[in-house]
Amino acid sequence: MDEQDRPEEERGPSRSQRKRDLEAVAELARQLVELPVASLERIPLDAHLREEVDEGRRLHQRGARKRQLKLIAALLREADHEAIQEAYTALSRPAPGERAELKAIERWRERLLAEGAEGDAALTELVETFPAIDVQRLRQLQRTARRPSSEEKGKKAGREIFQLVAEQLRRT
């Protein structure tokens, strides 16, 4: 009885599926090497795998790093890579409280970037809520973001406003 005559359940995953699985494990290895050390501490890795990930972080030559990533991927396949993937996914997803915080920051930014009196009223309210905020910098960023001539500078100013508001929210 050859491979094609057996029922589908007995055949196992297709060659394409096995390849996708190997690529997913290789991508997980790359993501682990690029994670900040504090985040990496929260992922369940055995000692040997952790050493190899640390070694991969130190390597910067293209060939050496590529070989190290292959080694890490092989070790991940031997380990419980599904649990490691779940832990990594949980790290990259904001917690419900963080999501609410990000939405609040975004609402402040949108109000501050609104044209005319709406943006000025939002600025006044923000200063009342967070008296330690750098008002002069915030006004400068508002003007830059509202200026129609420089789209790229406007986007950058919007990001900086987001960071300023986030910094103030996290201090309280």
Side-chain angles (χ1 to χ4, degrees):
M1 180 187 254
D2 66 356
E3 185 71 21
Q4 294 176 348
D5 295 336
R6 293 191 335 208
E8 194 171 321
E9 301 83 38
E10 293 178 13
R11 282 189 226 159
S14 68
R15 191 166 124 193
S16 299
Q17 182 61 45
R18 287 192 307 260
K19 188 174 180 181
R20 283 190 295 270
D21 292 343
L22 290 174
E23 288 171 355
V25 171
E27 177 63 18
L28 177 61
R30 186 191 60 75
Q31 291 168 339
L32 288 175
V33 168
E34 293 176 358
L35 259 181
V37 177
S39 298
L40 191 60
E41 296 290 331
R42 298 183 353 207
I43 302 220
L45 300 175
D46 63 28
H48 181 61
L49 184 56
R50 175 59 196 250
E51 288 174 17
E52 296 302 333
V53 170
D54 288 341
E55 181 66 24
R57 296 170 68 82
R58 284 189 290 276
L59 296 174
H60 295 289
Q61 290 181 328
R62 185 177 171 99
R65 188 176 183 109
K66 193 173 181 180
R67 284 190 300 276
Q68 188 67 22
L69 288 174
K70 284 185 178 185
L71 173 64
I72 294 168
L75 291 172
L76 281 171
R77 284 190 298 274
E78 292 173 7
D80 185 13
H81 68 271
E82 287 90 9
I84 295 170
Q85 178 67 52
E86 287 175 19
Y88 176 79
T89 304
L91 277 178
S92 61
R93 225 181 348 209
E98 290 177 45
R99 234 178 280 138
E101 180 180 285
L102 291 173
K103 286 182 180 182
I105 296 168
E106 184 61 31
R107 280 192 301 272
W108 274 115
R109 178 173 65 176
E110 287 174 5
R111 288 184 59 203
L112 288 167
L113 294 178
E115 293 293 327
E118 168 65 25
D120 294 337
L123 181 64
T124 304
E125 187 179 334
L126 185 67
V127 170
E128 289 173 1
T129 308
F130 305 108
I133 198 162
D134 186 357
V135 180
Q136 184 176 359
R137 179 73 179 139
L138 205 51
R139 283 186 198 277
Q140 179 183 16
L141 290 170
Q142 270 184 314
R143 283 192 302 274
T144 304
R146 289 178 184 165
R147 202 171 297 139
S149 62
S150 59
E151 184 177 323
E152 190 60 37
K153 287 182 180 179
K155 288 180 183 178
K156 184 178 178 188
R159 288 189 298 267
E160 288 184 43
I161 288 173
F162 186 91
Q163 290 170 351
L164 277 174
V165 174
E167 188 178 298
Q168 292 301 313
L169 274 174
R170 290 182 180 126
R171 283 184 183 174
T172 58

